Amino acid sequence: MCGWCFERIALKILSVEQSGQLHSECNNMLGRWLYLREAVDFPQALQRIEKFLISKKLVVAEELPATVVLLRSLEILVKDGFTSTSYQGLVQQDLVRNLIVNACKEDGSSIFIKSTEGLSVESLAALYDPATYLTEAGAQALMNVTLLIPACQEMLKHYHSWWLLGDGLAKNNLDERMAETGIFDPIEDIAEDQHERFDLLLRATYFSLLLVSRDLADSDMFRQLVKQHPVGIPWFKGDDLWLQRVAALALYDMRGFDSFLEYLQEFRATLFYYIDQRREFTPDQKRQLLDATYKNPGFDRNDDYMSIKEWLSESVEAS
């Protein structure tokens, strides 16, 4: 299995989460990664999974993905601000504070700067300092939008060219590996150090999506991020596919349903399904989407894992 396959699980987890339940996948660390990453109400999801782990007599701090807790906390910090009730409700918890510290390596800022040498993104190094998340003075580093927006735009352009298009991305020779080991595994097409760099840059990329999405003028950039799939096979967690979905949702919020419908021939069906999960298309919007697919059958052939016709037919008939 790979990230494409696990995306099905992530979307199922989201569906179950919205019904107020926990998916069975939450019994393992990967499932909890997906659950906390996808949950619409992150603080509530964190409380729910914490109670679940306690009921299993597990050590909560050891069973939660620190990176995801940091990312989702960052989302609330950007949206509501450091002094907001929603954010303070998170960072006043010892569990959250400790996980954020764990997600920030002692030399994380310098590692980020070294890894992005040549890019004008040094201001994003603050994202690797726990003080940015845990102190009001530290959070001020995220308030200088004049400085940060250009850096975020640069970060997204780099992500698009490097990870999505493969410009400068080191890959393994799978034929050589086959000859050496007798195993041909497409998921190993990207070199391990490149996956490590992706993981390092994930929070800077995610933050950039959050900040830049406030500007309608950047809708074409988001269109490119949504349109282009990763050049390599997505890793199990599928964080690159998650970023694509996040970008799609941001673009939908920028443009609205009618304008977003214009992307039907470019975007995969899964992204429309995800937006419906998060924003809930009206019955009329579902009919418009389905009608457009029937009139242009080719629009429903750009996703190996989902068909708009199959997904919407039953829903439209029921309404």
Side-chain angles (χ1 to χ4, degrees):
M1 296 181 73
C2 67
W4 292 109
C5 302
F6 274 100
E7 184 178 52
R8 306 297 98 202
I9 298 175
L11 294 176
K12 182 62 177 176
I13 286 175
L14 175 59
S15 177
V16 172
E17 184 269 337
Q18 290 177 314
S19 69
Q21 303 176 31
L22 282 177
H23 193 280
S24 59
E25 288 289 338
C26 291
N27 282 308
N28 60 71
M29 180 62 88
L30 177 58
R32 293 191 283 275
W33 181 292
L34 301 178
Y35 171 69
L36 291 175
R37 189 187 68 186
E38 304 297 335
V40 176
D41 188 334
F42 171 68
Q44 183 183 74
L46 185 60
Q47 289 181 356
R48 188 178 296 152
I49 201 72
E50 186 176 357
K51 290 179 181 178
F52 168 76
L53 292 171
I54 292 173
S55 72
K56 296 290 184 179
K57 302 187 185 310
L58 295 171
V59 180
V60 177
E62 296 177 359
E63 298 294 332
L64 291 179
T67 294
V68 175
V69 172
L70 180 145
L71 290 172
R72 296 305 307 274
S73 299
L74 173 61
E75 177 185 325
I76 296 173
L77 174 59
V78 171
K79 178 176 176 289
D80 298 337
F82 183 84
T83 60
S84 65
T85 301
S86 56
Y87 188 70
Q88 285 300 308
L90 278 174
V91 296
Q92 290 302 320
Q93 299 177 43
D94 288 340
L95 173 66
V96 173
R97 295 176 69 87
N98 290 335
L99 288 170
I100 287 175
V101 170
N102 290 342
C104 294
K105 295 181 179 180
E106 185 175 345
D107 53 351
S109 296
S110 60
I111 293 174
F112 171 78
I113 291 174
K114 183 177 180 180
S115 183
T116 55
E117 189 175 359
L119 304 175
S120 300
V121 297
E122 295 85 356
S123 57
L124 300 181
L127 295 167
Y128 298 82
D129 183 348
T132 300
Y133 306 91
L134 303 180
T135 68
E136 186 172 4
Q140 288 297 316
L142 303 184
M143 303 304 294
N144 191 342
V145 176
T146 302
L147 176 65
L148 289 175
I149 286 291
C152 288
Q153 291 171 329
E154 178 74 5
M155 189 73 243
L156 294 180
K157 289 177 183 176
H158 175 68
Y159 174 73
H160 179 263
S161 64
W162 170 64
W163 191 258
L164 300 185
L165 296 180
D167 184 13
L169 184 68
K171 304 189 75 174
N172 293 318
N173 188 318
L174 296 182
D175 291 331
E176 287 184 1
R177 289 198 168 208
M178 174 66 177
E180 293 172 359
T181 66
I183 299 174
F184 185 87
D185 191 348
I187 200 171
E188 296 182 350
D189 62 338
I190 303 297
E192 183 177 354
D193 67 331
Q194 300 295 279
H195 279 291
E196 292 173 354
R197 186 172 187 266
F198 171 87
D199 290 341
L200 171 67
L201 301 187
L202 177 60
R203 75 183 66 174
T205 307
Y206 183 53
F207 173 75
S208 297
L209 284 175
L210 295 175
L211 203 63
V212 178
S213 66
R214 298 176 176 183
D215 189 355
L216 290 175
D218 285 303
S219 62
D220 188 61
M221 175 187 292
F222 276 71
R223 172 175 164 265
Q224 295 301 324
L225 292 170
V226 179
K227 178 181 178 180
Q228 184 63 50
H229 308 329
V231 70
I233 303 298
W235 204 239
F236 299 109
K237 300 189 302 291
D239 287 324
D240 41 11
L241 300 181
W242 172 61
L243 292 174
Q244 186 187 44
R245 296 196 300 275
V246 170
L249 188 64
L251 183 59
Y252 179 81
D253 289 340
M254 289 181 197
R255 302 296 307 277
F257 178 81
D258 291 338
S259 295
F260 198 83
L261 196 60
E262 299 173 3
Y263 302 126
L264 188 57
Q265 62 182 322
E266 300 179 1
F267 298 169
R268 56 195 180 99
T270 297
L271 299 174
F272 287 87
Y273 175 75
Y274 175 73
I275 290 169
D276 182 41
Q277 283 187 297
R278 295 298 306 268
R279 295 293 183 263
E280 295 188 21
F281 294 143
T282 66
D284 182 60
Q285 288 173 335
K286 289 182 177 180
R287 290 190 189 93
Q288 288 185 56
L289 183 56
L290 188 58
D291 288 346
T293 307
Y294 275 115
K295 291 176 183 177
N296 303 276
F299 292 179
D300 206 25
R301 297 174 186 160
N302 61 356
D303 196 327
D304 293 334
Y305 297 92
M306 181 171 287
S307 162
I308 289 179
K309 291 177 184 177
E310 293 178 5
W311 155 46
L312 284 178
S313 292
E314 183 176 342
S315 177
V316 169
E317 289 176 5
S319 62

